Amino acid sequence: MLSQTEENYLKEIYSLEELVQKEVSTNSIAEKMQTKASSVTDMLQKLSNKKLVIYKKYKGTRLSEKGKTKAILIIRKHRLWETFLVEKLNFPWDEVHDIAEQLEHIKSEKLTNRLDAFLEYPTLDPHGDPIPNVNGKIIKVNSVILADLKIKEEGVFVGVKDSSDDFLRYLNKKNIAIGDKIKVLEIEPFDNSFKIDNNSTELIISESVAKNLYIKN
């Protein structure tokens, strides 16, 4: 049985590994967990003793197969609960992360699988992130960053890179939502801002916003 803190470490190590595609440093974990490097070292030693991570001092850390399986299960629960909160309880997408952070630690796999069936086996959560299936398989969406599109290129908005509450609320204000069809109309040379057509509505968004929107084209 793992503690909530141990589960959170596994989940964050997994996300960092996916980002850098190699061993992750103690400092990067500390930044992600908002704690001291010494506290991270203590936890990594504990997780190593449980055969959940492969930890080499000064050389970085990666999840063992056992640790990766555990991390994917936690992510599966988190994303299923986010989907349930949005689709069935009508929570806005910018409010569900913190609630799902609490619900993801429920231990019952039977409940998780029943929740999956109740939701009719969704493959994406409300933010466009893939939901691992019961076997831990993740089907990733082939997408590109909006900022990489050229003028007149278009596609469907399928996910966000930044899923912070502030960014999601910004998208709400701009009426940009998952499933919208977006076309690049102009790119301003001065500041690289984008003029886009979003479901027949013209908008101006900054380069930083364009770098945080995933488009399937």
Side-chain angles (χ1 to χ4, degrees), residues 7-71:
E7 290 187 343
N8 287 337
Y9 266 87
L10 293 178
K11 185 176 69 171
E12 298 304 345
I13 293 170
Y14 178 87
S15 67
L16 287 169
E17 271 194 79
E18 287 289 289
L19 184 65
V20 301
Q21 294 295 309
K22 61 180 182 179
E23 288 83 359
V24 297
S25 70
T26 298
N27 286 337
S28 63
I29 299 171
E31 183 178 354
K32 190 84 170 174
M33 298 297 298
Q34 298 183 329
T35 190
K36 298 177 182 177
S38 58
S39 299
V40 173
T41 299
D42 290 343
M43 176 57 73
L44 292 177
Q45 290 171 342
K46 186 182 295 185
L47 294 174
S48 179
N49 290 337
K50 293 184 177 183
K51 311 297 184 186
L52 295 168
V53 302
I54 299 168
Y55 168 60
K56 295 180 181 178
K57 197 172 183 180
Y58 307 122
K59 292 186 178 181
T61 303
R62 61 185 174 89
L63 295 174
S64 65
E65 284 303 313
K66 179 182 176 183
K68 186 176 181 179
T69 299
K70 294 280 188 184

Side-chain angles (χ1 to χ4, degrees), residues 68-78 104 109 112:
K68 186 176 181 179
T69 299
K70 294 280 188 184
I72 289 174
L73 174 59
I74 298 161
I75 291 166
R76 168 174 160 79
K77 288 188 286 185
H78 182 99
E104 71 185 25
E109 285 190 43
T112 303

Side-chain angles (χ1 to χ4, degrees), residues 182-213:
I182 295 177
K183 182 177 182 179
V184 177
L185 300 177
E186 297 177 21
I187 302 175
E188 173 56 52
F190 176 69
D191 61 359
N192 290 323
S193 59
F194 282 67
K195 183 178 182 180
I196 62 173
D197 179 293
N198 181 48
N199 287 345
S200 300
T201 299
E202 292 188 4
L203 298 171
I204 303 293
I205 60 173
S206 69
E207 181 184 23
S208 62
V209 170
K211 286 182 175 180
N212 278 294
L213 302 180

